Amino acid sequence: MKDLEEIFGRTMEHYRRYQEEMPVLQEFIMGYRWLTAADTKGRLSQALRVGREKPQEQYERVLRSLIGKTAENCLEQLFAWGDPEFRTIAVSLLNLLGKPFNTPKRLADRGIQRSEGLRFAYDVQGKKAGVIGYGLFNDFFFGKCAEFHAFDFRGPKGILSARIQERETKIYPEGICWHLGASALEFPEALGELDIVVMTGCTIVNDTYRDILKACKKAQIRGIYGPSCELCPEYLFDLGYNYIFSASVNNKEDYLKEVFAPLPEGNDLYYMDTYELARR
């Protein structure tokens, strides 16, 4: 977890610079999609549960042992253990740790521009565009670029529909180059031809984000998105990303009502403030 330790060190520099109070952990929520950390001020941060994890009971014991401690102390403990099966917890805590420094004013202090909402104001016409983590950016690419490539861990059964008729079978959605059922790293030729790539922040959780970025050798627009990437934007920009889209829960209780509902709608972004970041 050396990369996360670097992010931790850089974020701690912001605490010294701004004299910010350290978050104290109040509780954790292990949802069917997200691991969420909550501090005593009602702030939530998340990491998508796509990484390796300990068995449930062992995971609970570890999380419970962190409650009441500062985020700094929690992360120091996780790094001391050095267990990759705690990486999801560490990413969630780093997102919590970085949250106070993602305000427009503090970002501007550090040469980063924040724009509210999701606009993705880039020209995609004639470009080969790829989304790693199919779904959110479809409207910006589908039918608008020369080629739209979609990469996803989920297999065809989890995404595609087949229309089976007497003489033929058609697969939907049409007009997309699919790369499914494996890590995007299993498709290096497709990655290497992209002009635009936007990848889910869960690639930080499963520690593929750096290798995927390196594989996208031709990409001029290199983005990362989602609540899992609320951590230190300077680190991501220095790696080579030039577009970040992220989101932060704006009301803890409303969000948790949705999470704990008998039939969750899964519309997480409805309960979040969304924003784009670019380095000036």
Side-chain angles (χ1 to χ4, degrees), residues 4 10 34-35 37 43 74 84 92 105 129 139 166 184 187 190 198 203 209 217 231 235 247 277 280:
L4 302 187
R10 295 182 70 164
W34 302 98
L35 174 68
R43 294 175 294 197
C74 293
S92 181
K105 183 178 185 305
D139 288 344
E166 184 177 357
F187 308 98
V198 184
T203 55
Y209 67 112
K217 300 173 183 178
L231 41 74
Y235 170 82
L277 301 181
R280 296 183 302 198

Side-chain angles (χ1 to χ4, degrees), residues 135-152:
L136 184 61
F137 281 78
N138 291 14
D139 288 344
F140 298 104
F141 299 137
F142 184 71
K144 298 175 182 176
C145 54
E147 292 181 11
F148 177 22
H149 292 257
F151 304 78
D152 205 288

Side-chain angles (χ1 to χ4, degrees), residues 22-142:
M22 185 62 59
V24 175
L25 272 295
Q26 184 180 58
E27 60 180 335
F28 290 92
I29 298 95
M30 290 181 66
Y32 70 98
R33 294 180 63 212
W34 302 98
L35 174 68
T36 301
D39 72 4
T40 53
K41 292 189 175 182
R43 294 175 294 197
L44 302 182
S45 65
Q46 297 157 306
L48 200 63
R49 296 181 64 187
V50 296
R52 295 161 52 193
E53 294 183 358
K54 299 288 186 188
Q56 175 86 7
E57 291 185 4
Q58 187 175 353
Y59 220 53
E60 285 185 30
R61 287 197 298 271
V62 169
L63 292 172
R64 191 169 286 114
S65 74
L66 301 177
I67 293 173
K69 296 180 180 178
T70 66
E72 178 185 15
N73 290 341
C74 293
L75 283 160
E76 288 174 341
Q77 180 63 73
L78 292 173
F79 294 143
W81 287 330
D83 191 329
E85 292 185 339
F86 295 143
R87 186 177 177 92
T88 306
I89 305 173
V91 172
S92 181
L93 290 173
L94 285 168
N95 286 325
L96 182 65
L97 201 68
K99 197 178 291 285
F101 311 110
N102 287 342
T103 64
K105 183 178 185 305
R106 287 182 170 180
L107 287 164
D109 285 345
R110 308 191 318 268
I112 298 171
Q113 180 178 344
R114 171 171 167 159
S115 303
E116 303 307 310
L118 173 59
R119 288 189 286 272
F120 197 74
Y122 297 94
D123 180 13
V124 304
Q125 188 174 3
K127 307 291 187 182
K128 295 181 180 180
V131 171
I132 299 168
Y134 177 69
L136 184 61
F137 281 78
N138 291 14
D139 288 344
F140 298 104
F141 299 137
F142 184 71

Side-chain angles (χ1 to χ4, degrees), residues 16 18 42 96 104 110 117 153 157 168 174 219 255:
R16 291 187 284 271
Y18 292 103
L96 182 65
R110 308 191 318 268
F153 266 119
K157 183 179 177 181
E168 66 176 354
E174 296 181 302
Y255 175 73

Side-chain angles (χ1 to χ4, degrees), residues 200-221:
T200 168
C202 78
T203 55
I204 299 174
V205 180
N206 65 22
D207 197 16
T208 58
Y209 67 112
R210 291 168 294 177
D211 290 336
I212 293 173
L213 188 64
K214 289 177 184 176
C216 299
K217 300 173 183 178
K218 292 176 59 178
Q220 297 175 328
I221 300 170

